[in-house]
Amino acid sequence: MDYYSVERTACIPAAKASVRASEICILASIDELTGLYNRRYLGELLDKLCKGENAFAVFYMDLNHFKAVNDELGHAAGDAILKEASERMRSCAGGDNPTARIGGDEFVVVCPGSRLAEIKNMESRLREVIEKPFYVDGECRQLSLSIGIAVFPEDGKTYDSLMQKADHRMYQEKKKENQKKESRKK
């Protein structure tokens, strides 16, 4: 065995290990069900962005009426809708705006800039794609979004402060929507 064949043989496990480490890193950043980024990746991304000077907006979203899908049609149907909703959000947000599923039926989109017109446009487009009917197992379901938005640096300068502000605003919107629904029932 000559020198080069030994070196190549020794490098193969190292190369495989490097590829494997890369695969593990990717898998650790991706939500298994939807293929979107996960909470871990989002935290790392926002921490990095918060160290910069460029403004960006965090759209914290929750699917309204999703629990009924799981309760009435089962978790397989719920998973199918989560996958479809994820693809709609990813497509709407575009390739330059990271989209993450941070748990259950909660999602985040991060968009550069802080101009009100751009933020309102993205918010409107996200609502529009989710309000289109979802079809699963011959059933048609209508969902909507509650969205809370926080802008760096005005609303916070850290991952935690931005997420807390956006989450709070999202739940305020959800509460208002529930109050409207209750007043219509009376």
Side-chain angles (χ1 to χ4, degrees):
M1 193 183 272
D2 68 2
Y3 174 78
Y4 293 107
S5 63
V6 171
E7 185 178 347
R8 263 186 255 131
T9 304
C11 289
I12 289 173
K16 284 183 180 178
S18 177
V19 168
R20 186 74 179 141
S22 212
E23 289 172 353
I24 290 169
C25 185
I26 290 168
L27 291 173
S29 301
I30 301 295
D31 176 67
E32 184 179 351
L33 177 67
T34 64
L36 296 178
Y37 292 116
N38 61 19
R39 179 184 291 274
R40 179 181 170 277
Y41 176 84
L42 178 69
E44 291 173 3
L45 173 68
L46 290 181
D47 282 342
K48 181 180 175 182
L49 291 174
C50 287
K51 290 176 183 167
E53 305 219 352
N54 296 327
F56 61 90
V58 174
F59 294 76
Y60 194 117
M61 302 170 288
D62 181 79
L63 291 174
N64 298 323
H65 319 295
F66 179 74
K67 183 180 181 315
V69 172
N70 273 340
D71 291 349
E72 296 167 16
L73 301 178
H75 291 280
D79 286 353
I81 286 181
L82 285 173
K83 289 177 188 176
E84 177 65 25
S86 297
E87 187 51 42
R88 290 180 189 186
M89 284 185 228
R90 179 190 350 241
S91 178
C92 176
D96 294 336
N97 301 318
T99 306
R101 177 176 173 230
I102 58 171
D105 62 348
E106 293 184 337
F107 301 84
V108 171
V109 172
V110 180
C111 298
S114 61
R115 292 189 19 230
L116 185 59
E118 292 170 347
I119 291 170
K120 289 297 182 189
N121 182 36
M122 177 61 75
E123 179 184 17
S124 175
R125 289 179 18 231
L126 287 164
R127 288 184 195 284
E128 185 178 304
V129 298
I130 295 301
E131 289 173 0
K132 291 178 181 174
F134 288 86
Y135 296 94
V136 60
D137 297 334
E139 295 278 338
C140 176
R141 293 299 166 131
Q142 291 288 146
L143 303 180
S144 62
L145 281 177
S146 290
I147 303 176
I149 303 167
V151 178
F152 173 85
E154 293 86 14
D155 293 323
K157 295 184 179 181
T158 66
Y159 165 80
D160 288 330
S161 62
L162 287 166
M163 291 295 285
Q164 185 176 18
K165 179 68 86 171
D167 181 53
H168 177 73
R169 288 177 174 163
M170 186 267 297
Y171 276 104
Q172 283 181 317
E173 181 179 309
K174 189 176 271 295
K175 185 177 177 181
K176 286 179 190 174
E177 188 60 35
N178 287 338
Q179 288 171 344
K180 284 182 194 175
K181 201 184 318 181
E182 288 300 316
S183 69
R184 280 185 242 144
K185 286 181 182 178
K186 294 177 182 179

